[in-house]
Amino acid sequence: MKLLLNLRKRKKFKLSEMLDSFSNEEPDKLISSDLSANERFLRDIFHQCSDVVFRVVPINDKTRLLFVYIDGLCDTKPLDEMVLCPVRASEKKCEVFIFEEFVANQLRAVAQIKSTKNVNELINGILTANVAVLVEGETTALLADLKGFEKRSIEEPSSETVIRGPRDGFTETLRVNTSLIRRRIRSSRLKIESFTIGKLSKTDVAIIYIENIASDSVIEKVRKRLESIEIDGVIETGFIEEFVEDFPFSPFPQVQNTERPDIVCGSLLEGKVSILVDNTPFVLIVPMTFWSGLQAAEDYYERFIYVTFIRWIRYTLFNISLLLPSIYVAVTTFHPQLIPTNLLISIASAREDVPFPVLFEAFMMELMFEALREAGIRLPKSIGSAVSIVGALVIGEAAVQAGIISAPMVIVVAATGIASFAIPRYNFGTAYRILRFPILILAGLFGLYGVILGMIAILIHLVHLQSFGVPYLSPIAPQNPKYLKDVLVRAPRWSMHRRPIRVAGQDKTRIPKGRWRKN
């Protein structure tokens, strides 16, 4: 029994030792001319990988072909129809098997192929959905790109819906996503650079930019930060985002993410750089500014008069979502003289039976509202919205009737929650959901002075914040009046002649200057 265990341990040790030597000590190991030796080596590498298929096809008495691929990732129908059938048909006609004539030429008709003599490249090719073709007596293997895995169809993103605008969205397939961008920007200046990140996942990552429009310094920073990432696996763009952002401990996002190809193309035309990751529909856009977090895709499809009005409403709601509970707590606790007499009497009568101070009351209601919001998101769609709405109504009404919470506090928290939903970017709105609590504590401790102190601290942080070398509050801080046409207002498109100066590269002209005439 001990001998059997020792033999098993020895076998496992040899296999792990061989894998370690393959990955570390022998990076340039070459393919052998002995097909049986190649097959044994590959079977040891893919030990206990039931989805890896080995197909040995005899050609004549002396020649055999070996096909290695991963079941579910490759479409083997063209392989059978265009390679194996012609090879078997010509089997009786030729005594000597000619590799180039019967395999390579046939494969080129149905797929992109590349040859390799390196074992590492061979294994990486198999793992990236290629069919490996090895032949007896040859030290060169072919990798045929016959990807055929299941993929999701193009649909409208549920998190970024618009009334007017394109209805397509990114999918989990990298090449589908790049094609959606190519369809919109048909220029040779649109560049796509590829990277592979992740020791185990070997995830395909691409950066996209428009030559001469994107800043060379931003492109170089993106390249260096991606190349410096050392991680075992990349599953989603969030893995990349945390490695490339400038200030990781800031609550404000410095990298924009989106599922919409039109937003990516619009950002590329402004001079920004996009980062695409395979297996996720979310695309990263850098650099990001404070104002891009408050802009929606529909701002550029509707008339500028409507958009300017909507933006003012959005900025107002944005301030309400951050400050309304804090101002209510500060005024009712420290500055009741600022409230009109009739309103003050109404608030005092509503709070007469409430046993808790205003700060605790507001803090408890905010936490409950955040809990209902998270419950609505995590539950299935069919019941999530119903639970969040019914829960808010039932809990709010019951708390007021029981005298635990005052009715004005319920109104304040509900108005704050509705205002927070007006922020277009989810992660940007989350930053203000977090900051609402420390400002609320300052308001409960110091009144309006605490609110002002909190706002000053936030403004100082925003002024010092940067995204890939671009000031977060630009073009307001540092101020550049020429580029304020797409910040507080949305000017007519024909008047926005130049791209953002802090983002764009050499080509800063978007529309040639000239007198606009109404024909």
Side-chain angles (χ1 to χ4, degrees), residues 76 290 312 370 435:
T76 58
F290 179 86
W312 290 346
E370 293 298 330
L435 292 173

Side-chain angles (χ1 to χ4, degrees), residues 201-386:
S201 66
K202 292 180 172 55
T203 306
D204 293 327
V205 178
I207 63 171
I208 302 183
Y209 59 91
I210 301 178
E211 194 176 28
N212 293 331
I213 292 181
S215 172
D216 293 336
S217 62
V218 173
I219 297 171
E220 189 60 29
K221 284 181 181 178
V222 173
R223 286 198 196 104
K224 287 183 178 179
R225 293 183 188 184
L226 290 179
E227 290 171 353
S228 65
I229 296 176
E230 294 184 3
I231 191 174
D232 54 354
V234 175
I235 309 301
E236 212 271 340
T237 50
F239 287 63
I240 301 293
E241 181 178 353
E242 293 188 12
F243 278 97
V244 301
E245 60 185 356
D246 293 69
F247 297 87
F249 295 104
S250 172
F252 294 94
Q254 299 122 60
V255 180
Q256 182 180 342
N257 64 76
T258 182
E259 291 184 82
R260 297 188 61 88
D262 54 329
I263 293 180
V264 172
C265 292
S267 300
L268 293 175
L269 292 171
E270 286 184 351
K272 297 182 180 181
V273 180
S274 296
I275 304 173
L276 281 72
V277 178
D278 199 14
N279 301 317
T280 176
F282 286 91
V283 174
L284 304 179
I285 302 172
V286 295
M288 178 185 179
T289 63
F290 179 86
W291 312 107
S292 60
L294 294 172
Q295 295 171 355
E298 215 165 13
D299 290 358
Y300 301 94
Y301 304 140
E302 294 289 353
R303 297 185 67 235
F304 67 94
I305 299 175
Y306 308 154
V307 173
T308 299
F309 174 69
I310 291 171
R311 277 192 182 177
W312 290 346
I313 294 177
R314 192 180 297 152
Y315 291 157
T316 304
L317 294 174
F318 154 74
N319 290 318
I320 288 174
S321 70
L322 178 65
L323 299 175
L324 183 59
S326 304
I327 292 175
Y328 176 78
V329 170
V331 170
T332 55
T333 305
F334 293 93
H335 315 282
Q337 67 275 14
L338 298 178
I339 306 176
T341 305
N342 292 335
L343 180 59
L344 181 60
I345 294 172
S346 176
I347 295 174
S349 61
R351 285 193 42 79
E352 186 176 0
D353 297 327
V354 176
F356 304 111
V358 182
L359 176 60
F360 182 80
E361 185 184 1
F363 210 87
M364 185 170 57
M365 283 297 295
E366 286 291 342
L367 285 177
M368 185 58 65
F369 188 87
E370 293 298 330
L372 288 171
R373 177 186 290 188
E374 284 301 309
I377 294 174
R378 306 305 165 199
L379 288 172
K381 292 182 179 179
S382 56
I383 62 174
S385 58

Side-chain angles (χ1 to χ4, degrees), residues 36 38 125 375 407 414 444 481 507-508 517:
S36 299
N38 291 332
D507 185 2
K508 292 182 172 60
R517 295 180 178 178

